[in-house]
Amino acid sequence: MTATVKATYANGVFTPSEPVDIEEGEEVTLSIEGATSRKRGLAGVVEAVQELQRTIPSDAWDVLPTDGARNYKHYLYGHPKEDA
């Protein structure tokens, strides 16, 4: 079973904000989303970009085009490539 439930974290314990249909003592896996732990402003943007970069396999960077700034119209809209 998969369910999304809001909860509050206090004193090392997650307390659901609504009733949940699980047995007492049953082990569950939590996926935590929360803006309070994230940095705000530019530091938050940098942190988010770094987090995204970590999810991309290292060998994927090797196949990206190196002329993206000069030929963005080609990659976005299919225009002919400009020579260097």
Side-chain angles (χ1 to χ4, degrees):
M1 174 181 95
T2 301
T4 301
V5 178
K6 289 188 178 186
T8 303
Y9 182 74
N11 300 319
V13 177
F14 289 97
T15 304
S17 302
E18 56 194 65
V20 292
D21 186 25
I22 59 173
E23 296 293 323
E24 186 71 28
E26 185 175 340
E27 186 174 300
V28 297
T29 301
L30 299 175
S31 177
I32 301 172
E33 292 181 23
T36 57
S37 64
R38 297 207 180 264
K39 296 177 183 172
R40 300 200 184 276
L42 181 58
V45 172
V46 170
E47 184 180 90
V49 169
Q50 290 173 335
E51 186 177 316
L52 284 172
Q53 285 178 328
R54 285 190 292 273
T55 66
I56 299 171
S58 57
D59 59 337
W61 294 104
D62 298 335
V63 297
L64 292 176
T66 57
D67 61 345
R70 181 177 52 251
N71 285 304
Y72 73 94
K73 289 181 182 178
H74 168 74
Y75 295 109
L76 293 176
Y77 312 115
H79 291 221
K81 279 189 174 184
E82 294 182 17
D83 293 333

